[in-house]
Amino acid sequence: MPELPEVEIMARNAHAWAADARIVELRVDDPAVVRAGLDLLAAAPGAQVRRARRRAKYMVLETSAFDLVVHFRMTGKWVRSDTRAARLRITTTLGEVALVDTRRLAEIWALPPASADAWLAARGLGDEPFPEVRDGEWWRARLEGAGAIKPALMDGARVAGIGNIVATEACWRARVWPWARPTSLDADGWAALAGAVRSFIADALAADGGDEIAYVNEGGAPPSYHAVYRLGGRPCARCGAPIAKATQAARSTYWCPGCQLLGADAAPSAAPQGRRRR
Ligand SMILES: [Zn+2]
């Protein structure tokens, strides 16, 4: 499932492929993908593409005729057009771009020009952790009051764009136990978490595979910058202990019980499932 790094890459690609081009044709192959503004898309031919950008896990394509907001959900991808079935295709003077989506869960909203920001603001999205540099105090203020740090990282109303992979890997990099309560971290712990989120996102962006994003959940080997996600049972790269896996807040969590001890209870080798949460 695409998170901040993947959506950022797709927005950068879309910008590189279509910014300043004129739309020649826009074809909606699967009308179910368009949640709003289907009529606005009829005005696409001749419109100028201004830019593509990311906000949270949304990609926004701004044109002179409409703003297109895309949420990729599980398997949606913005690609240079190819022979696959697409849900929507845009042919511009620079070539064709398309939304492909094997599970058909992606959503598109066509909005009047220059109205995407207001639409997104109404969704209650948290502030962006990237590309702005956020320090430990910023993270402490955002996660304050949460029950546990890792699910709070994934709460889009607190911080935008972070999903299970970024949250899981950032906790490992910062040595933060996923169940740690925010009050258990000191300033050094928050600084470590701030640096961990930033470095993981930077590594994910640097590993950008080109024109098409590969999602981890599609199978294949985990990327080299992953230390724990989907690596249960393998030795920790830092301390050699086997990576553990558990369900936390209905999501898979992976962590190292040997060296990921910031904020941990006395015996963190097992997940605190079944324990009464305070
Ligand atoms: Zn370890």
Side-chain angles (χ1 to χ4, degrees):
M1 178 183 297
E3 300 183 23
L4 187 157
E6 292 78 23
V7 179
E8 179 78 25
I9 288 168
M10 286 190 282
R12 290 177 184 182
N13 283 349
H15 187 84
W17 297 336
D20 298 327
R22 285 208 175 270
I23 296 176
V24 177
E25 184 188 12
L26 185 151
R27 205 170 84 212
V28 180
D29 295 288
D30 181 1
V33 73
V34 181
R35 302 292 178 177
L38 196 55
D39 54 320
L40 281 170
L41 298 179
Q48 185 172 31
V49 178
R50 297 203 164 114
R51 62 171 176 157
R53 60 192 169 94
R54 178 194 62 80
R55 171 73 172 102
K57 295 177 190 171
Y58 296 91
M59 187 187 86
V60 181
L61 186 75
E62 297 175 4
T63 81
S64 58
F66 51 82
D67 282 355
L68 204 64
V69 181
V70 185
H71 198 298
F72 299 98
R73 301 294 171 204
M74 297 291 287
T75 57
K77 293 181 184 183
W78 197 252
V79 299
R80 274 192 204 274
S81 198
D82 56 26
T83 55
R84 275 174 296 181
R87 304 190 69 191
L88 176 141
R89 290 175 194 275
I90 303 176
T91 307
T92 76
T93 46
L94 289 175
E96 197 173 69
V97 292
L99 177 71
V100 297
D101 181 18
T102 51
R103 290 186 60 177
R104 300 185 65 217
L105 295 169
E107 298 176 285
I108 283 179
W109 295 264
L111 309 168
S115 65
D117 281 335
W119 186 89
L120 289 163
R123 300 233 145 188
L125 304 172
D127 291 336
E128 290 290 336
F130 185 91
E132 295 84 355
V133 176
R134 305 301 195 181
D135 63 12
E137 174 54 27
W138 186 89
W139 284 97
R140 189 200 61 72
R142 294 299 173 296
L143 272 55
E144 192 172 40
I149 285 180
K150 193 229 159 185
L153 284 169
M154 298 166 60
D155 178 353
R158 293 177 181 272
V159 180
I162 296 183
N164 202 19
I165 296 174
V166 176
T168 296
E169 293 290 336
C171 283
W172 181 84
R173 289 189 180 209
R175 299 175 183 257
V176 170
W177 193 50
W179 290 266
R181 280 181 289 278
T183 49
S184 68
L185 259 59
D186 61 11
D188 287 347
W190 287 112
L193 191 64
V197 173
R198 188 163 188 83
S199 75
F200 181 80
I201 291 172
D203 286 351
L205 293 176
D208 169 13
D211 284 0
E212 181 166 340
I213 290 284
Y215 297 147
V216 173
N217 294 0
E218 292 177 316
S224 59
Y225 56 91
H226 279 199
V228 288
Y229 187 81
R230 291 208 161 187
L231 294 170
R234 309 257 194 102
C236 169
R238 205 159 45 202
C239 76
I243 301 300
K245 178 189 179 186
T247 300
Q248 177 184 20
R251 302 297 299 275
S252 292
T253 286
Y254 301 82
W255 81 106
C256 176
C259 65
Q260 214 175 317
L261 301 170
L262 277 182
D265 285 354
S269 58
Q273 299 176 59
R275 192 185 73 182
R276 295 242 179 248
R277 301 294 299 161
R278 277 159 285 186

